[in-house]
Amino acid sequence: MVLHNRVSAAELKKRLLMETIKRVTISFYQYAKIQDPQAFRDQLYESLFKLDVFGRIYVANEGINAQISVPEHNFEAFRDALYAIDFLNGIRLNIAVDDDGKSFFVLKIKVRDKIVADGISDPTFDMANRGKYVDAKGFNALTDDPDTVIVDMRNHYEYEVGHFDGAIEIPSDTFRDQLPMAVDMLKDQKDKNIIMYCTGGIRCEKASAYMLHHGFKNVFHLEGGIIEYTNKARQQELPIKFKGKNFVFDDRLGERISEDIISQCHQCGEPCDTHTNCLNDGCHLLFIQCESCAQKYDGCCSDACKDVYALPEEERAELRKGVDKGLMFNKSRRKRLK
């Protein structure tokens, strides 16, 4: 069996759009010791491929991080296959809040140095010493306490479209930069309750361990992140303290949590929280664009990119040969949209 995809992305996306089956988008992670990540990766690929699972999974010595799409009729078989793996038995599966079933179109499983790039090189850092889990009810109760600090451990473009009431932003594009920044920003509040949160729990769990490693005492992290919080709050009819959209790293680019629109179109300034990628393949900038500007700029981030996008594909391909690849897929509007 070939343990990787050989079909073009265009063809796979076409097949996905033609699917009539219902899919469910799921995320999960687990910090665990994996002795042979490559062997584990190959076994997992073979198992999930048979179940027609799509998505993006990272495997490392420190564990697994997955965002996937599973056919609804294969969900139980998928769960059984996952739970048959010792360190994944009974693992929490975060079910997407706002799901159209079109989140992924191919299965990719990659071996990485870490499942979350953290920049931590200190050999005494130990993920086993992590903060306390707090569920939706506990989160709401703790955040009512004036001695609680709510810390968003996501990137600025995620925070921009949605976040919890009163949460502070750690203003960086990367998690590895956020960790020392969070320690520095909160150094005078070490005795307060520190609640950290992220999309599905993986970043805030590691961040909680990092804060404890640097002398903080009362550190909590939101179990299952924003996704699990929202699902549980709705099930238990609790007040939902998250406002706006939860950014997600798949083709949806966001799931609606509340009707509040707390951000603006990056081009005209009108209220908007719809992320898109510039259609100029030599740019592909992630930014917020309203429907009016999408029409005005043909889905591009600027007049310059609109002009390039209007060229024949052969000319666009020639132009891309000279593009600095370091500028591609840049998610920071602070650096690009000025």
Side-chain angles (χ1 to χ4, degrees):
M1 177 182 178
V2 177
L3 300 180
H4 59 270
N5 171 62
R6 287 184 169 181
V7 183
S8 72
E11 175 61 24
L12 290 170
K13 288 181 179 179
K14 180 180 177 181
R15 292 179 187 179
L16 177 64
L17 291 174
M18 293 176 64
E19 272 191 355
T20 57
I21 62 173
K22 187 175 180 181
R23 287 181 170 271
V24 57
T25 301
I26 300 167
S27 62
F28 66 90
Y29 73 92
Q30 184 72 292
Y31 288 104
K33 299 293 184 184
I34 300 178
Q35 296 300 324
D36 189 343
Q38 185 63 52
F40 176 78
R41 177 264 174 210
D42 292 346
Q43 293 169 6
L44 187 65
Y45 188 97
E46 189 168 356
S47 174
L48 298 187
F49 183 83
K50 292 176 181 177
L51 296 174
D52 204 20
V53 172
F54 297 158
R56 177 177 56 246
I57 302 175
Y58 298 141
V59 176
N61 286 120
E62 70 170 357
I64 182 172
N65 180 20
Q67 295 86 41
I68 58 172
S69 164
V70 182
E72 198 172 59
H73 65 274
N74 282 342
F75 179 80
E76 289 188 11
F78 157 76
R79 185 178 56 198
D80 290 344
L82 205 63
Y83 285 5
I85 301 169
D86 285 344
F87 75 90
L88 295 178
N89 187 19
I91 191 173
R92 180 190 61 252
L93 301 175
N94 285 339
I95 308 298
V97 175
D98 183 13
D99 189 13
D100 61 2
K102 307 299 182 184
S103 50
F104 298 99
F105 60 87
V106 67
L107 177 62
K108 293 182 179 180
I109 307 181
K110 297 183 178 181
V111 174
R112 293 283 180 88
D113 290 335
K114 294 188 177 183
I115 54 175
V116 179
D118 54 31
I120 300 172
S121 57
D122 186 344
T124 66
F125 174 76
D126 185 4
M127 269 303 301
N129 183 30
R130 66 195 91 183
K132 301 171 187 175
Y133 274 132
V134 60
D135 60 14
K137 185 176 181 180
F139 179 92
N140 281 1
L142 269 175
T143 55
D144 286 336
D145 185 338
D147 282 330
T148 295
V149 181
I150 313 167
V151 185
D152 192 313
M153 290 307 299
R154 302 172 303 151
N155 300 320
H156 77 83
Y157 52 88
E158 300 173 77
Y159 180 92
E160 185 176 19
V161 294
H163 52 259
F164 282 104
D165 286 337
I168 66 171
E169 177 189 8
I170 310 297
S172 175
D173 288 343
T174 66
F175 181 67
R176 63 188 302 148
D177 290 337
Q178 283 183 316
L179 290 173
M181 287 175 68
V183 169
D184 185 61
M185 287 175 64
L186 300 172
K187 61 186 177 184
D188 295 328
Q189 305 185 70
K190 285 192 173 183
D191 293 328
K192 290 191 175 183
N193 296 321
I194 308 293
I195 301 183
M196 319 197 87
Y197 73 88
C198 59
T199 305
I202 187 169
R203 286 177 284 180
C204 56
E205 184 164 332
K206 180 168 282 190
S208 73
Y210 191 81
M211 300 299 279
L212 288 172
H213 184 69
H214 283 82
F216 288 77
K217 306 299 182 186
N218 304 313
V219 184
F220 302 83
H221 56 103
L222 182 57
E223 183 176 7
I226 299 162
I227 298 172
E228 179 73 357
Y229 170 88
T230 304
N231 284 326
K232 284 293 189 289
R234 287 177 177 173
Q235 291 170 15
Q236 298 170 21
E237 298 184 344
L238 301 173
I240 295 178
K241 295 193 173 188
F242 188 94
K243 295 294 186 289
K245 255 186 181 179
N246 179 32
F247 183 93
V248 290
F249 292 89
D250 58 54
D251 285 355
R252 294 173 298 152
L253 292 180
E255 50 187 15
R256 175 68 58 194
I257 305 298
S258 81
E259 295 306 313
D260 305 270
I261 298 178
I262 65 172
S263 53
Q264 298 82 37
C265 173
H266 288 167
Q267 291 170 311
C268 71
E270 287 297 309
C272 179
D273 58 9
T274 302
H275 273 106
T276 188
N277 288 106
C278 178
L279 290 181
N280 173 15
D281 288 334
C283 173
H284 214 238
L285 173 72
L286 179 71
F287 69 109
I288 297 173
Q289 185 178 55
C290 68
E291 290 185 10
S292 177
C293 287
Q295 294 180 1
K296 179 180 178 180
Y297 293 96
D298 289 343
C300 295
C301 70
S302 64
D303 284 323
C305 280
K306 177 182 176 180
D307 291 343
V308 172
Y309 183 62
L311 296 172
E313 170 55 30
E314 296 78 9
E315 291 186 44
R316 297 204 305 270
E318 192 65 29
L319 285 173
R320 287 198 297 272
K321 290 180 181 178
V323 169
D324 178 359
K325 297 298 191 267
L327 290 178
M328 294 184 69
F329 310 104
N330 187 331
K331 296 182 174 66
S332 176
R333 77 177 178 91
R334 294 171 179 172
K335 296 177 182 176
R336 300 290 304 282
L337 273 186
K338 293 184 178 179

